[in-house]
Amino acid sequence: MRYRPMSYSDVDPDYGHLDSSAQAAAQDDDTGFFSDLFMGVASGVEGFGRSVIGLADFALGDALPDEWSERTLERPDSLVGGLVEGITQFGLGLIPGLGMAGLLGKGGKLLSVSDKLLKTSKTLTTGVTADFVAFDAHEERLSDFLASHDVTRNVVTEYLSSDEDDGEFEGRMKNVLEGGALAGVAGALIKGVKTLKKGRKLDGSEDALDEYTKSADELKEALIESGIATRQGIEIEMNLKNKLPSALRRVRDQLNNTKLDQQGGGRTEVDTDSALPKYPDC
C-alpha cells in the first residue's frame, strides 16, 4: 500500500481548498532548490574564471582591462546556493593545485624525501594553490562574517576580513590563511568523530583497543598541526587526568561518609569522623 501524506481535506473537508496552496508551495520549494543549485554552480564557475583573470592581470602588471575581472552573473543569496558556489569554486581550484602537488611529488622523489613528509607537503600545496588561485583577493570570506559579530571579532578575524585597500598578493594570502585554518579545524573534527566511533566499538579485545589508540594519536597530531592545541598542553592534560581520578574519589568518599542531619532551627549535626571541616552552630 502506497503511503499518501495527510492533506487538509482529510482533516476537514471545509479546508480542502488549502490543499492546492500547499502543493504549489511544495513545488516552489523544489524549484527554488534546483534553481539555487544551478545558480551556485554557475556563479562558482564564473568566480573561478574571474579570479584567474585577476591573477593573470596581477602577473602582467595590471595590463588587462578591469572589467574583465568583474562578475556579471547574479550570485546566490541562499545557504544552499552559497555553499554550492564556494564548493564549485574551490573544486576548480584543485585542478591547478593537484598539478602543483604532482610536480612537488616528482621533485621530492628525486631528492629521496620521506613518504610522510612528501604526502603532507603535497596536501598543503594542493590546498594553498587552490585557495590562492580560485578566490579573488577582495572577495568576502568567512572572516567578514566573524568580524561582524562581537563574540567572534578579534585581531585575527579583523585582519583576515576582505579590504579593498589590500594588494592582490596580500588579499590572496588571506584566502590561503583562512582556508588553511578551516582545513585544519575540519580535519581535526573528522578525526575526532572517527575516534568517537572507535571508542564505541571497544569490546575488550586488543584489536579494538589498538585501533582506538591509533585513532586517538592521529587526533592529537591533527590538533597540534592545526594549532588548536600544543603538545605540551596535551601532555599537561593527560597528567591531570591521571591524577584527578584518585583525588576525586577521595573527595567523593568523604562526602558520602559525611552524614548531615538537619534538625530545625538552623542546627546541623556533622559526623565527627568526617574529614571535612567542622562549622560551629549559628
Side-chain angles (χ1 to χ4, degrees):
M1 180 177 179
R2 185 177 179 181
Y3 171 76
R4 184 178 67 85
M6 183 176 291
S7 61
Y8 287 100
S9 58
D10 293 331
V11 179
D12 191 333
D14 292 337
Y15 292 96
H17 63 282
L18 297 177
D19 290 338
S20 58
S21 300
Q23 293 175 359
Q27 292 177 354
D28 291 340
D29 290 340
D30 293 339
T31 304
F33 173 80
F34 288 108
S35 176
D36 290 340
L37 197 66
F38 175 78
M39 185 182 297
V41 172
S43 183
V45 172
E46 185 193 33
F48 174 77
R50 300 294 182 182
S51 177
V52 172
I53 292 175
L55 184 60
D57 186 37
F58 170 69
L60 296 174
D62 199 17
L64 301 178
D66 292 338
E67 56 268 19
W68 285 16
S69 59
E70 296 177 358
R71 286 176 176 263
T72 56
L73 296 179
E74 181 182 358
R75 300 186 66 179
D77 54 4
S78 65
L79 177 62
V80 173
L83 288 174
V84 172
E85 178 188 23
I87 293 172
T88 301
Q89 207 163 333
F90 182 78
L92 292 172
L94 290 176
I95 298 174
L98 292 172
M100 292 295 295
L103 294 176
L104 180 65
K106 293 179 180 179
K109 290 181 179 180
L110 293 176
L111 298 175
S112 301
V113 178
S114 64
D115 292 339
K116 183 177 181 179
L117 177 59
L118 186 59
K119 181 180 178 180
T120 302
S121 300
K122 289 172 67 176
T123 302
L124 289 174
T125 301
T126 302
V128 167
T129 304
D131 287 325
F132 191 85
V133 174
F135 298 96
D136 183 75
H138 306 113
E139 189 168 350
E140 291 189 359
R141 50 187 77 98
L142 178 61
S143 295
D144 290 72
F145 173 78
L146 297 178
S148 64
H149 294 77
D150 294 335
V151 178
T152 52
R153 184 189 300 117
N154 53 52
V155 177
V156 177
T157 55
E158 287 183 346
Y159 171 73
L160 292 179
S161 300
S162 59
D163 189 345
E164 291 296 332
D165 294 331
D166 289 340
E168 189 73 20
F169 181 79
E170 182 180 7
R172 290 178 182 269
M173 284 306 301
K174 286 184 178 182
N175 290 332
V176 171
L177 292 174
E178 183 179 275
L182 292 176
V185 172
L189 181 61
I190 293 173
K191 291 185 181 297
V193 174
K194 180 180 177 182
T195 302
L196 288 176
K197 290 183 177 180
K198 296 293 183 182
R200 292 177 179 177
K201 294 181 180 180
L202 288 175
D203 54 4
S205 64
E206 293 185 1
D207 292 339
L209 180 60
D210 290 340
E211 290 184 3
Y212 173 76
T213 303
K214 181 180 178 181
S215 181
D217 291 338
E218 291 178 354
L219 174 59
K220 293 177 185 176
E221 293 299 325
L223 291 173
I224 293 171
E225 291 176 0
S226 63
I228 299 176
T230 62
R231 194 174 302 279
Q232 183 180 9
I234 292 178
E235 291 176 355
I236 293 174
E237 182 184 8
M238 295 301 296
N239 291 332
L240 288 175
K241 285 183 177 180
N242 293 332
K243 294 179 179 179
L244 278 178
S246 58
L248 291 174
R249 280 197 299 271
R250 288 197 299 269
V251 174
R252 185 175 62 246
D253 292 341
Q254 290 178 358
L255 291 174
N256 291 335
N257 293 330
T258 300
K259 300 177 181 178
L260 297 176
D261 183 17
Q262 187 73 25
Q263 296 181 348
R267 290 181 53 84
T268 302
E269 295 183 359
V270 183
D271 188 353
T272 57
D273 296 329
S274 172
L276 295 177
K278 283 60 175 185
Y279 298 98
D281 294 340
C282 298

